[in-house]
Amino acid sequence: MKEYILPVRDLVVHPGLTVPIFVDSPLAVSCIKTATSKQQKIVLCPQKNWGTPSKATDLYPIGTLGNIAQVLNMPDGAIHAIIKTTDVVELSDISCTNNIFTGDIKPLPILDDSTFEQTIALRDKVADTMESLSSHHKFQTEKLQAIIKNYPMPAFVDSVMQMSHFDTEAAVNVLKINNWREKLIAILEQLTLIIETEKIEDNISLRVRDQMEKGQKQAILQEKMKAIQREMGEDGEESDVLSLRSKIEKSAMPKEAKEKAMSELRRMRAMSPMSQEGGLLKTYLEELLAMPWNKADKTPIDLTKAKEILDSEHSGMLPVKERILEHIAVMKKTGKNRGSILCFVGAPGVGKTSLCKSIATALGRKYCRISLGGISDESHFRGHRKTYIGAQCGRIMDALKRCKTNNPVIVLDEIDKMGKDWRGDPESALLEILDPEQNKSFRDHYLEVDFDLSNVLFIATANSLNMSSALKDRMEIIEIPGYNEEDKVKITREHLIKRAAEDNGWAVDKITISDDSIKHLIREYTSEQGVRELQREISTLLRRKLLKDNGEDVKTDFTEELIDDLLSVHKNANISSKIGFGAHA
């Protein structure tokens, strides 16, 4: 005949004990009422979890058989029952019908070796172990004395398990054992495990307490220091923290960057105001706040004005200016920096860098030039991590910070002169910066947050095509040829004379020079494709004339003879220096 099974939570009972049971779940109440009405025994079976069991696998296949001695029905429908346990039983063929568990039982007899010397010694050892733990909150000294002196073996074992809060799995394992000696050994193992666990917990608690006391001491000292600073009118630290917090909350940085900033601000506030790391974190937060997250130049693009600016500042170069205007027209239409990156290639002095500056003026944007000559470390672009001494953000982020806008014109000057060594390949970082599909989330190693570079107009310059194929593939190469003699004469008329006059304190209307004189100056004193050397020679003419006229800019007609007279000393000095250098070499 199947016996009724009462699932119980966190309760494993040994036979020979009278156990009070309080149940309020409909399943348990129904089980007790049915067993009582049919005058059958009931099996107290521990369940594997704290939920309401619904199938056989929710129960352990072992329990304690007992008689229902008394049932007291409570007003709220709960039941208070007293059960006298008789045997340990093994359960099989468990089923659940109408929310009542039943199953077949097989008694598991316990060998009574409680009078053996080894068993008595083990019991004393368990009692001593419990006594050594009596100071812990889980154990009560007065009950231990009763356990040691008066309880029989079943009650002793069961009380030790209940008082030491064995988990259900361990208690079931003890219940399965068929002799008292082995049961006591298993209990002793569990108690030893509790002792070691308590030692670890005590050590952890001691460390936490020490750290808390140390932290409280520092907090008290910091509060005292703040109070002293307030009395002296030097309460700057707290105001700095509050100011930074306010700036972070009001800033337009994205969510990721704002969370990073608030995290670092909390770290900074927890540190001593005199610590070095606190100063580094403050500098980092100021760098984050200085970045132009949503600041952009809103000047509308005017193609007519752009053409006028390019024509007024650069003579000739019609194909080049036409391509630039095409690029600007696409930007006006799309509102974005569509198209490839422009790269101006030409000899020194042909006007590559000044052309880039004219583009920035035509667009109404900020202008920043980054010289790449000799750069061989990718940290120049990506920045240094904060763990390094003297860490700072990369040159791209620094340029944006100085421009105070996220859509400036950034000129990568002399891109063909980048180096490469053991510190890294700067070209790989530059490829990411110039790729519109990747630079939307450029991450600087110092800032450690993504920044959108897609609004920046990058323009590169180079003296030659001595670049990798990958880098050339990222850019549209626009070659700027050298000037012929007629172009140089025109540039001199429109730009160079005026610039030299301003640099040397001359009034432009006091300078007279014919085209033939300019050609003579070009043929005899310059030998370049650009006009940089020609600019220097004109400045030399004006300086030497000022020297002859006692520093006065006397109206002068610079004829070929006067040019030779003024530049002869200069020319002879250059020739002599070259000869002398060669002889010395």
Side-chain angles (χ1 to χ4, degrees):
M1 184 177 66
K2 290 181 177 290
E3 299 289 349
Y4 290 101
I5 299 172
L6 176 64
V8 290
R9 299 188 185 102
D10 200 22
L11 179 63
V12 179
V13 184
H14 274 74
L17 301 175
T18 300
V19 184
I21 300 291
F22 180 82
V23 295
D24 58 359
S25 68
L27 186 151
V29 170
S30 177
C31 179
I32 291 178
K33 285 184 177 180
T34 304
T36 303
S37 64
K38 295 185 178 182
Q39 297 183 348
Q40 283 188 232
K41 293 184 177 183
I42 196 168
V43 179
L44 300 179
C45 181
Q47 60 187 63
K48 295 181 179 179
N49 51 57
W50 281 85
T52 302
S54 60
K55 53 185 182 298
T57 55
D58 294 335
L59 306 176
Y60 285 99
I62 191 169
T64 309
L65 183 66
N67 296 308
I68 302 174
Q70 184 180 351
V71 175
L72 178 62
N73 294 309
M74 307 301 289
D76 60 354
I79 287 181
H80 188 94
I82 296 177
I83 299 175
K84 293 182 178 180
T85 59
T86 58
D87 299 283
V88 178
V89 295
E90 184 179 0
L91 299 171
S92 61
D93 193 21
I94 299 174
S95 61
C96 183
T97 305
N98 297 326
N99 289 330
I100 297 176
F101 283 94
T102 58
D104 296 329
I105 62 171
K106 175 184 177 183
L108 298 176
I110 299 177
L111 176 64
D112 187 8
D113 58 351
S114 60
T115 59
F116 291 5
E117 290 184 3
Q118 287 185 345
T119 307
I120 295 172
L122 284 168
R123 171 177 172 150
D124 292 342
K125 179 66 175 177
V126 170
D128 292 341
T129 305
M130 292 289 291
E131 188 71 25
S132 67
L133 292 171
S134 61
S135 59
H136 195 270
H137 66 87
K138 290 183 179 179
F139 308 103
Q140 301 176 14
T141 305
E142 61 271 14
K143 290 189 177 181
L144 285 174
Q145 299 299 329
I147 291 172
I148 293 170
K149 292 182 179 180
N150 302 320
Y151 279 19
M153 186 64 76
F156 175 83
V157 170
D158 195 72
S159 298
V160 169
M161 290 169 55
Q162 300 300 327
M163 294 177 62
S164 55
H165 298 280
F166 278 24
D167 60 59
T168 305
E169 184 77 28
V172 168
N173 290 335
V174 173
L175 186 63
K176 290 179 181 178
I177 299 173
N178 65 353
N179 64 81
W180 297 111
R181 175 178 172 274
E182 296 296 331
K183 286 178 184 289
L184 290 172
I185 290 175
I187 289 174
L188 194 58
E189 290 176 351
Q190 288 295 317
L191 292 177
T192 303
L193 180 61
I194 290 174
I195 291 173
E196 295 302 321
T197 303
E198 291 302 322
K199 286 181 180 179
I200 295 172
E201 290 180 355
D202 289 342
N203 288 334
I204 293 174
S205 299
L206 182 61
R207 291 180 184 176
V208 171
R209 185 168 61 251
D210 290 343
Q211 291 178 357
M212 289 181 63
E213 290 175 355
K214 183 178 179 181
Q216 289 174 351
K217 182 179 178 181
Q218 289 182 347
I220 291 171
L221 291 175
Q222 287 181 6
E223 288 299 324
K224 288 183 177 180
M225 183 179 293
K226 291 175 184 177
I228 294 171
Q229 289 175 341
R230 281 194 293 269
E231 291 296 325
M232 298 178 64
E234 299 177 357
D235 187 20
E237 181 208 351
E238 188 65 23
S239 62
D240 284 347
V241 173
L242 295 176
S243 176
L244 284 172
R245 178 184 293 276
S246 176
K247 289 178 181 178
I248 292 170
E249 291 173 348
K250 294 178 181 178
S251 70
M253 62 178 69
K255 182 179 178 181
E256 178 197 4
K258 190 167 289 189
E259 289 175 353
K260 175 73 173 175
M262 295 302 291
S263 173
E264 298 297 330
L265 181 65
R266 287 192 291 269
R267 283 184 59 205
M268 187 188 83
R269 190 172 188 178
M271 293 176 183
S272 168
M274 305 302 293
S275 68
Q276 181 180 5
E277 189 174 357
L280 295 176
L281 288 176
K282 182 180 179 182
T283 302
Y284 169 75
L285 291 174
E286 290 173 347
E287 290 287 317
L288 269 183
L289 290 169
M291 294 304 300
W293 297 100
N294 70 333
K295 299 177 182 177
D297 288 322
K298 304 293 186 179
T299 306
I301 296 176
D302 187 339
L303 282 171
T304 304
K305 182 180 178 182
K307 186 176 186 305
E308 290 174 356
I309 291 173
L310 291 174
D311 289 339
S312 64
E313 296 183 359
H314 294 83
S315 301
M317 294 192 293
L318 294 179
V320 176
K321 289 190 286 188
E322 191 71 20
R323 179 62 187 90
I324 293 171
L325 290 172
E326 290 173 2
H327 195 85
I328 295 175
V330 173
M331 291 175 61
K332 179 179 180 179
K333 177 62 178 176
T334 62
K336 299 179 181 179
N337 299 329
R338 296 283 183 180
S340 56
I341 307 297
L342 300 181
C343 178
F344 299 135
V345 179
V350 296
K352 301 183 299 296
T353 306
S354 61
L355 192 61
C356 297
K357 194 169 185 179
S358 298
I359 294 173
T361 305
L363 292 172
R365 296 191 182 185
K366 298 290 193 307
Y367 166 84
C368 185
R369 172 181 166 273
I370 299 177
S371 178
L372 306 185
I375 286 181
S376 57
D377 186 356
E378 68 173 327
S379 61
H380 281 278
F381 296 120
R382 296 193 188 276
H384 303 83
R385 300 192 185 277
K386 295 199 299 291
T387 52
Y388 291 95
I389 296 175
Q392 58 185 359
C393 59
R395 299 179 73 175
I396 301 296
M397 294 294 106
D398 182 66
L400 292 173
K401 182 180 65 177
R402 286 186 285 113
C403 290
K404 298 181 181 180
T405 176
N406 62 13
N407 64 341
V409 175
I410 294 183
V411 177
L412 304 173
D413 208 8
E414 297 181 330
I415 197 172
D416 58 325
K417 293 184 174 60
M418 280 194 306
K420 180 179 179 181
D421 62 12
W422 58 270
R423 290 172 294 183
D425 182 10
E427 185 177 302
S428 60
L430 193 57
L431 289 174
E432 178 186 352
I433 292 169
L434 298 180
D435 189 343
E437 297 300 324
Q438 299 182 44
N439 64 12
K440 294 178 181 178
S441 57
F442 178 75
R443 182 176 288 258
D444 185 273
H445 286 166
Y446 180 77
L447 298 180
E448 296 179 339
V449 291
D450 292 344
F451 194 94
D452 186 2
L453 296 180
S454 61
N455 294 323
V456 179
L457 178 59
F458 290 102
I459 305 176
T461 71
N463 293 136
S464 68
L465 293 175
N466 185 23
M467 295 176 279
S468 67
S469 57
L471 192 56
K472 285 189 285 189
D473 184 61
R474 284 284 195 277
M475 304 180 295
E476 178 180 347
I477 305 298
I478 299 177
E479 295 192 30
I480 301 179
Y483 300 114
N484 57 33
E485 190 176 84
E486 294 301 324
D487 290 335
K488 289 182 180 181
V489 171
K490 186 177 181 181
I491 292 171
T492 302
R493 286 281 180 214
E494 295 178 354
H495 304 288
L496 302 187
I497 295 176
K498 181 180 179 182
R499 191 180 304 166
E502 290 176 356
D503 293 341
N504 294 280
W506 274 76
V508 179
D509 57 356
K510 294 183 178 181
I511 301 173
T512 303
I513 184 169
S514 64
D515 289 352
D516 290 337
S517 297
I518 295 175
K519 291 178 181 178
H520 177 73
L521 184 63
I522 293 169
R523 294 167 186 166
E524 299 298 328
Y525 297 93
T526 64
S527 57
E528 60 168 354
Q529 297 182 45
V531 292
R532 195 169 292 161
E533 190 176 358
L534 179 57
Q535 173 75 59
R536 287 195 293 265
E537 295 298 338
I538 295 173
S539 294
T540 302
L541 278 175
L542 299 182
R543 289 197 306 270
R544 296 198 65 81
K545 183 59 177 167
L546 282 177
L547 180 60
K548 282 193 171 187
D549 295 332
N550 198 25
E552 295 294 332
D553 55 337
V554 179
K555 187 171 183 179
T556 306
D557 181 9
F558 289 92
T559 61
E560 296 180 22
E561 293 77 13
L562 182 57
I563 290 173
D564 290 336
D565 181 54
L566 293 174
L567 297 182
S568 59
V569 177
H570 174 67
K571 184 176 182 181
N572 292 336
N574 286 341
I575 294 173
S576 299
S577 64
K578 291 177 182 178
I579 294 173
F581 178 78
H584 178 72

